[in-house]
């Protein structure tokens, strides 16, 4: 797109600036719409699993429910507690929201359709997602209130624990793909299994890692079996307790933005991203972004399903799962996979 | 021009946040300014083309180390007046460190502007060179394999040592034994009894 602006007489720098701006808007605006619709979808899924109707009043089939909620939240008064640390209190939701958005810069929607095709894409995702915890910690501390603070401490410990196993899972993927570039990782999955199936997840060596990543991504986004940070029965609403109005809504948008991101990452890293599941020419007629969206929706259904059916972990169980099960398991698989690749792909050890 | 603007933005913010780390009255604010400083330093590294180091800086320092800093500082019960009382006492020491750092910077800059010490070690990486990761990997796992592995081993020993030194098993603790819980069957724990009327059950 930079070339398009340059052909209309803009200098390279301005052309780059405008094309970036358009690219960012083209990702962020549909994402916000997707968040609204996905909240509706998730409430419908939960309702179906609890034999209820779910939102069905605002608009046809209740489709506009999220927009009504958004408008309500938008019109409310922003309350800042008197003993809160005002600047940080207002900064926290902004950090949460921004961090949830910036990761999308490296997500490939199609070959070449990506905002920033950088060669450390996966590391960028790790870096950006490790920033997410600051929104929660700062919110908890700045609220100057007991429950948010407990929640912040829990969130910090949880994030740090699960990031370790996520890191090792990502190393497995990188070892197999041979690159950190996101598009490269997807392309490496083309015909990955005997030239027929597209996706690392179909590989028996990587399938356990796909499962570990799915579970860890639920822990990373503080979804229900792992939502110790906002456990209603213990901590009121966790770090969001003192928040109202738009500052609350930003947390909410950020949380669901992260959930959509995690579904996208599951699809991209293990299930072929924008490639169809089977490497068969007629399937490539359907554009890649449709395949990606189908996979994301499938994962989102799994996320909603788990949230509707699985009870919450206890905190020590959460830590046990992260440190005593996922960490040794993923570490073992790093060794197994590098051994397998040395055996099959790289041959004998270099002299 | 964009790169220049970005450089001045990151550089100014790095220096400003470094200054604010010292002058912030609240220790938690200090840590947050420190994090901003790390972040902008990562931005500067990106501009020099060291994208791998920049990402590692964010992942390791911002994502893990600073979180633990923040964790500890938040949980401390700090008396601010007491915190500032040692200023005059520590001033000479602080000035000494500042002097050493300043002279190191001066030496480094003058050495750099005098030209590269080794023929192959030029400042910026050449365009279209190997990606950072591959170049670093070839170095670490090729030329410097032994020191690299030794460093890893030393860190592992340090980690185990820290755990051994601080881990204290209490005799009276009764932790959950998950394997035992899963192994337990209904037959081990439940007894079906059908007592006749008027008779009790032996437990």
């Amino acid at each position: 797109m930079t070339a398009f602006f340059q052909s209309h007489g803009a200098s390279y720098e301005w052309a780059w600036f405008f094309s970036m701006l358009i690219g960012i808007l083209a990702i962020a605006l549909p994402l916000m719409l997707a968040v609204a619709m996905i909240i509706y979808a998730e409430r419908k899924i939960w309702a179906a699993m609890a034999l209820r109707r779910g939102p069905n009043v605002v608009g046809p089939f209740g489709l506009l429910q999220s927009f009504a909620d958004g408008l309500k939240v938008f019109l409310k008064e922003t309350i800042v507690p008197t003993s809160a640390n005002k600047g940080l209190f207002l900064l926290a939701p902004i950090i949460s929201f921004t961090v949830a958005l910036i990761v999308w810069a490296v997500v490939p929607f199609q070959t070449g359709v990506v905002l920033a095709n950088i060669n450390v894409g996966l590391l960028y995702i790790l870096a950006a997602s490790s920033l997410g915890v600051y929104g929660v910690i700062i919110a908890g501390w700045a609220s100057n209130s007991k429950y948010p603070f407990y929640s912040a401490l829990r969130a910090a410990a949880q994030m740090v624990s699960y990031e370790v196993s996520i890191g090792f899972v990502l190393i497995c993927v990188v070892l197999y793909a041979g690159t950190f570039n996101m598009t490269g990782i997807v392309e490496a999955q083309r015909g990955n299994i005997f030239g027929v199936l597209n996706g690392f997840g179909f590989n028996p060596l990587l399938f356990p890692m796909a499962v570990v990543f799915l579970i860890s991504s639920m822990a990373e986004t503080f979804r229900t079996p792992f939502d110790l940070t906002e456990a209603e029965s213990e901590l009121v609403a966790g770090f969001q307790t003192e928040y109202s109005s738009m500052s609350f809504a930003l947390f909410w948008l950020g949380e669901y933005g992260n959930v959509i991101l995690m579904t996208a990452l599951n699809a991209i890293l293990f299930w072929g991203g924008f490639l169809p599941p089977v490497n068969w020419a007629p399937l490539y007629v359907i554009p890649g972004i449709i395949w990606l969206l189908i996979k994301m929706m499938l994962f989102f259904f799994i996320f909603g399903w788990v949230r509707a059916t699985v009870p919450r972990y206890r905190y020590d169980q959460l830590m046990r799962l992260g440190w005593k099960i996922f960490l040794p398991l993923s570490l073992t698989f790093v060794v197994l996979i590098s051994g397998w690749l040395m055996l099959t792909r790289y041959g004998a050890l270099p002299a | 021009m964009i790169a220049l603007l970005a450089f001045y933005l990151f550089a100014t913010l790095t220096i400003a946040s470094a200054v604010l780390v010292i002058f912030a009255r609240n220790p938690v604010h200090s840590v947050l300014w420190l994090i901003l400083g790390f972040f902008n330093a990562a931005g500067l590294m990106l501009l020099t083309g060291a994208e791998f180091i920049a990402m590692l800086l964010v992942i390791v320092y911002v994502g893990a180390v600073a979180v633990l800093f923040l964790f500890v500082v938040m949980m401390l019960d700090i008396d601010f007046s007491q915190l500032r009382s040692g200023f005059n006492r520590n001033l000479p020491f602080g000035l000494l460190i500042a002097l050493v750092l300043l002279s190191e910077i001066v030496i480094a800059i003058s050495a750099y502007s005098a030209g590269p010490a080794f023929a192959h070690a030029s400042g910026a990486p050449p365009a279209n060179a190997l990606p950072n990761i591959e170049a670093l990997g070839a170095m670490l796992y090729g030329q410097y394999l032994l020191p690299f592995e030794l460093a890893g081993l030393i860190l592992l020993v340090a980690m185990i040592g820290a755990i051994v030194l601080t881990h204290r098993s209490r005799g009276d603790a009764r932790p959950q034994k998950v394997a035992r819980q899963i192994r337990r069957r209904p037959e081990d724990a439940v007894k079906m009894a059908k007592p006749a009327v008027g008779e009790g059950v032996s437990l």
Side-chain angles (χ1 to χ4, degrees):
Chain A
M1 202 185 289
T2 312
F4 168 79
F5 281 110
Q6 269 180 309
S7 69
H8 282 68
S11 71
Y12 173 75
E13 269 140 7
W14 282 108
W16 175 86
F17 179 75
F18 280 123
S19 59
M20 276 294 144
L21 204 64
I22 289 173
I24 290 167
L25 289 179
I27 292 174
L29 296 182
L31 186 68
M32 288 297 97
L33 197 66
V35 166
M37 293 326 290
I38 218 124
I39 291 172
Y40 166 78
E42 183 158 54
R43 290 177 66 179
K44 277 290 192 192
I45 293 171
W46 294 339
M49 290 191 184
L51 298 181
R52 293 182 284 111
R53 283 182 188 282
N56 62 352
V57 175
V58 190
F61 309 108
L63 272 172
L64 300 177
Q65 180 66 49
S66 298
F67 298 100
D69 289 345
L71 191 67
K72 181 196 82 173
V73 155
F74 185 69
L75 293 175
K76 285 199 167 187
E77 183 191 353
T78 306
I79 300 166
V80 181
T82 42
S83 61
N85 201 314
K86 195 173 179 194
L88 288 179
F89 184 82
L90 293 176
L91 188 69
I94 299 173
I95 292 178
S96 276
F97 181 67
T98 316
V99 166
L101 282 185
I102 59 170
V103 189
W104 285 91
V106 295
V107 173
F109 298 99
Q110 181 80 271
T111 316
V113 183
V114 50
L115 188 65
N117 197 10
I118 55 178
N119 60 9
V120 285
L122 205 53
L123 286 176
Y124 173 81
I125 287 180
L126 260 184
S129 68
S130 64
L131 291 179
V133 70
Y134 284 110
V136 179
I137 295 190
I138 293 173
W141 184 78
S143 296
N144 204 356
S145 158
K146 280 189 207 71
Y147 295 121
F149 191 57
Y150 281 138
S151 163
L153 295 184
R154 285 183 176 193
Q158 184 174 340
M159 278 286 232
V160 172
S161 320
Y162 278 84
E163 217 132 75
V164 180
S165 61
I166 283 190
F168 281 121
V169 170
L170 295 186
I171 285 177
C172 293
V173 173
V174 168
L175 282 173
Y176 241 95
T179 174
F180 275 93
N181 180 291
M182 297 299 282
T183 316
I185 288 172
V186 175
E187 286 300 332
Q189 299 179 46
R190 191 188 291 271
N192 174 244
I193 306 293
F194 305 125
V196 180
L197 296 173
N198 296 332
F200 286 144
F202 297 112
N203 186 329
L205 259 181
L206 279 165
F207 179 74
M209 291 298 94
V211 176
V212 169
F213 187 73
L214 179 64
I215 299 173
S216 300
S217 56
M218 283 174 200
E220 224 19 35
T221 47
F222 306 120
R223 300 273 303 178
T224 282
F226 310 105
D227 67 340
L228 276 302
T229 54
E230 38 197 292
E232 302 85 355
S233 48
E234 304 161 26
L235 297 179
V236 193
F239 58 92
Q240 309 167 344
T241 305
E242 306 289 346
Y243 282 88
S244 61
S245 172
M246 270 321 273
S247 53
F248 173 72
L250 284 181
F251 273 126
W252 209 36
L253 289 172
E255 190 188 324
Y256 274 88
N258 264 330
V259 169
I260 300 178
L261 177 79
M262 280 299 172
T263 62
L265 284 186
N266 270 294
I268 288 167
L269 295 175
F270 288 101
W271 302 101
F274 50 75
L275 301 172
V278 179
N279 197 12
W280 182 47
L283 288 178
Y284 285 98
V285 174
I286 302 170
I289 189 161
I290 304 284
W291 284 115
L292 183 63
L293 284 177
I294 290 173
K295 288 169 187 173
M296 283 167 65
M297 279 184 228
L298 215 74
F299 275 107
F300 187 74
F301 178 75
I302 295 175
F303 269 59
W305 186 9
V306 169
R307 186 162 177 175
T309 50
V310 179
R312 185 180 295 138
Y313 266 68
R314 222 170 49 211
Y315 202 75
D316 63 310
Q317 292 172 325
L318 176 94
M319 285 293 146
R320 178 175 168 271
L321 185 69
W323 289 106
K324 291 190 179 172
I325 298 175
F326 281 178
L327 181 59
L329 191 71
S330 50
L331 203 54
T332 314
F333 268 85
V334 170
V335 175
L336 276 181
I337 286 171
S338 29
W340 174 254
L341 287 176
M342 283 309 284
L343 200 67
T344 57
R345 194 185 291 176
Y346 298 108
L349 285 167
Chain B
M1 195 195 71
I2 292 174
L4 202 66
L5 270 179
F7 169 77
Y8 281 115
L9 178 74
F10 288 141
T12 321
L13 281 175
T14 310
I15 294 170
S17 48
V19 170
L20 281 163
V21 171
I22 304 166
F23 285 104
R25 289 174 173 275
N26 191 329
V28 172
H29 291 183
S30 285
V31 177
L32 291 173
W33 286 119
L34 181 70
I35 292 163
L36 189 66
F38 281 151
F39 205 68
N40 284 300
L44 284 175
M45 287 182 188
L46 270 185
L47 287 180
T48 60
E51 73 266 6
F52 182 63
I53 307 280
M55 290 302 148
L56 277 196
L57 184 71
V58 176
I59 294 172
V60 175
Y61 280 91
V62 180
V65 175
V67 171
L68 296 180
F69 270 16
L70 201 59
F71 212 91
V72 172
V73 172
M74 273 180 183
M75 292 209 283
L76 290 178
D77 189 20
I78 296 170
D79 183 6
F80 294 121
S81 57
Q82 201 191 1
L83 204 67
R84 261 189 291 281
S85 63
F87 185 77
N88 285 329
R89 194 156 42 84
N90 294 329
L91 190 63
F93 189 59
L95 280 178
L96 187 71
I97 290 179
L99 206 67
V100 170
L101 281 178
L102 183 71
S103 53
E104 276 184 359
I105 289 173
V106 169
I107 291 169
I109 289 176
S110 49
Y112 179 77
S113 51
F118 308 102
H120 60 272
S122 58
N128 305 324
L130 270 176
N132 266 216
I133 305 171
E134 284 173 34
L136 268 175
M139 275 297 195
L140 285 181
Y141 293 100
Q143 199 176 343
Y144 298 108
L145 181 64
L146 189 66
F148 181 63
E149 305 259 293
L150 278 179
L153 204 65
I154 291 169
L155 284 175
L156 183 68
V157 171
M159 193 169 77
I160 294 173
I163 293 171
V164 168
L165 285 178
T166 52
H167 187 73
R168 202 176 290 141
S169 62
R170 278 167 44 202
D172 57 338
R174 296 179 61 194
Q176 183 184 15
K177 295 193 181 82
V178 178
R180 215 180 117 205
Q181 289 180 338
I182 295 170
R183 211 165 52 233
R184 193 167 140 118
R185 297 292 124 191
E187 300 86 67
D188 308 337
V190 184
K191 196 171 81 180
M192 295 298 286
K194 242 182 201 171
V197 178
E199 274 180 38
V201 186
S202 66
L203 289 169

